Amino acid sequence: MSGKISKRRKERNMRVGFLTSGGDCQALNATMRGVAKALYEWDPKTEIIGVLDGYKGLIYGHCREMKPSDFSGILTKGGTILGSSRMPFKEMRTPDENGLDKVKAMKDNYYKWKLDCLVVLGGNGSQKTANLLSQEGLNVIGLPKTIDNDIWGTDMTFGFQSAVDIATNVIDQIHTTAASHGRVFIIEIMGHRVGWITLHAGIASGADVILLPEIPYDIDVVAKAIKKREKEGKNFTIMAVAEGAISKEDAALGKKELKKKQAEDAKIYPSVAYKIAAELKERTGQEMRITIPGHTQRGGSPVAYDRVISSRLGAAAARLIEESKYGFLVAFKGNEIVPVPLAEIAGRLKYIDPHGSIVKEAKALGISFGTKD
Ligand code: F6P
């Protein structure tokens, strides 16, 4: 046992806050369990305070004392036992409807609850707030949560592999019915502004077309890919389309014009899949169907891969706490767990490289990305 612990123990036990923020995912509980188990191994007297409903709980003072038994049996449980909420980073510096200074309120509660540190399990926006709190002098550690896999500084986020599995299963199910009826199917996949889930699930399920936000598509090229399959005697086509997929015309617009265009499109089409379906029907005459698995991609148990990285990330977060190293995101890089400064990752998105290896390999398999090359 380190001198640090014995010295602190004389005064009081270590108090660690856990907070889950933003859209949930399958491995939040698995990750909290990992941190808790490693902390209790290190010092069984560690006190864990669960902040309820994300940053909302930290602002408005909602928390509960956790017991070791709270972390038993949750490795396979989806969602979050603490609850979550979306509290946009850009609104953190704006007082609430009653004039409450949110940042001050979060700091006040941190000190009132006598926390030695706060562990934030969250995606991009949540890590920006984590960085803000760290710069405000709190001891903060971030853990990379999101099905989207778009957090800068980490190869992998927990939740991603589970979402890929669900999206892959959906496309697998669609394959037979698409073939029976000779239809074109568009499966619209979550991922916000990036296409990681779509790319991986598309490859895993043998999709014929993959459309991603990072690779603006040419609708005529997509139509050609469908017609080519028809000529080859394949009367059906499976398209994995990211919810953020964008046409080359739209991608060329300025920010303001694009916003206007998307607002106009939204009046006609419920989502991008409907727009693409309408345009392809016109060009190919083929029968089109749309499937949107939506939030099912965030539900259920984490897959084994996620359970492993969650447990490892959790244990590594506990190690940082033991060493009093704060202000870091616990990241996963090249199969190693490494701390990356929150200040380095805050506000940066991890996009797919359109010319990267995985895209090249997918193209080599004959998958169309809706581009001429
Ligand atoms: O960030 C995770 C995510 O599931 C995105 O893929 C999706 O765009 C968004 O959250 C949906 O958000 P909400 O749950 O607030 O509808």
Side-chain angles (χ1 to χ4, degrees), residues 22-25 86 123-124 145-150 189-194 197 243-244 294-295 297-298:
D24 70 345
C25 75
R86 289 203 185 274
N124 273 302
K145 168 242 63 166
T146 171
I147 61 165
D148 302 338
N149 195 31
D150 59 354
I189 295 169
M190 270 190 175
H192 198 42
R193 285 194 275 158
V194 301
I197 309 175
E243 63 177 345
H295 288 77
Q297 291 160 102
R298 293 211 318 235

Side-chain angles (χ1 to χ4, degrees), residues 347-362:
R348 296 171 87 178
L349 272 193
K350 185 183 70 188
Y351 291 100
I352 292 168
D353 174 0
H355 308 290
S357 174
I358 183 165
V359 173
K360 278 188 193 144
E361 286 129 23

Side-chain angles (χ1 to χ4, degrees), residues 83-355:
S84 190
S85 62
R86 289 203 185 274
M87 289 292 289
F89 170 77
K90 59 175 188 253
E91 287 165 26
M92 283 299 183
R93 290 282 186 197
T94 314
D96 78 355
E97 58 281 12
N98 299 314
L100 181 80
D101 179 334
K102 294 173 196 148
V103 176
K104 181 176 180 304
M106 288 193 278
K107 287 167 69 180
D108 287 349
N109 283 320
Y110 176 96
Y111 293 120
K112 189 171 113 194
W113 296 336
K114 296 187 167 44
L115 297 182
D116 293 294
C117 79
L118 179 69
V119 179
V120 174
L121 296 87
N124 273 302
S126 309
Q127 297 305 341
K128 272 204 248 179
T129 302
N131 182 49
L132 181 155
L133 293 175
S134 168
Q135 287 173 342
E136 287 284 328
L138 306 191
N139 294 330
V140 184
I141 288 177
L143 280 161
K145 168 242 63 166
T146 171
I147 61 165
D148 302 338
N149 195 31
D150 59 354
I151 300 182
W152 182 268
T154 185
D155 293 346
M156 199 72 74
T157 58
F158 61 83
F160 170 63
Q161 292 290 346
S162 303
V164 168
D165 241 48
I166 292 172
T168 302
N169 287 334
V170 170
I171 305 177
D172 286 349
Q173 307 270 352
I174 294 295
H175 242 109
T176 49
T177 178
S180 307
H181 289 267
R183 288 168 169 163
V184 176
F185 261 88
I186 298 180
I187 299 94
E188 185 182 292
I189 295 169
M190 270 190 175
H192 198 42
R193 285 194 275 158
V194 301
W196 291 105
I197 309 175
T198 309
L199 178 58
H200 282 244
I203 294 173
S205 60
D208 309 299
V209 177
I210 295 179
L211 303 184
L212 309 174
E214 294 92 337
I215 308 178
Y217 64 84
D218 179 332
I219 198 70
D220 292 317
V221 173
V222 180
K224 254 190 208 157
I226 294 171
K227 285 184 191 157
K228 182 171 171 266
R229 281 179 58 79
E230 234 185 319
K231 264 193 210 142
E232 289 165 357
K234 295 165 187 159
N235 65 342
F236 72 98
T237 298
I238 299 288
M239 296 179 53
V241 173
E243 63 177 345
I246 187 165
S247 67
K248 68 178 181 37
E249 293 80 13
D250 285 2
L253 297 174
K255 219 176 167 184
K256 244 186 175 172
E257 289 168 295
L258 178 62
K259 224 177 161 186
K260 200 172 148 214
K261 172 81 185 338
Q262 286 175 333
E264 279 162 16
D265 282 351
K267 286 184 201 153
I268 313 169
Y269 309 110
S271 69
V272 69
Y274 289 85
K275 179 182 165 192
I276 292 173
E279 292 175 352
L280 287 177
K281 190 167 172 39
E282 201 182 288
R283 285 166 173 78
T284 64
Q286 282 234 28
E287 208 178 332
M288 313 286 306
R289 288 290 185 274
I290 292 162
T291 296
I292 304 182
H295 288 77
T296 62
Q297 291 160 102
R298 293 211 318 235
S301 292
V303 296
Y305 189 93
D306 265 339
R307 295 179 204 178
V308 174
I309 65 164
S310 288
S311 304
R312 290 181 61 192
L313 289 165
R319 198 168 59 238
L320 288 182
I321 296 169
E322 288 167 29
E323 292 166 0
S324 304
K325 284 188 185 155
Y326 301 115
F328 293 100
L329 175 86
V330 186
F332 187 75
K333 273 191 171 175
N335 209 27
E336 293 295 322
I337 308 282
V338 292
V340 180
L342 282 169
E344 200 178 290
I345 63 112
R348 296 171 87 178
L349 272 193
K350 185 183 70 188
Y351 291 100
I352 292 168
D353 174 0
H355 308 290

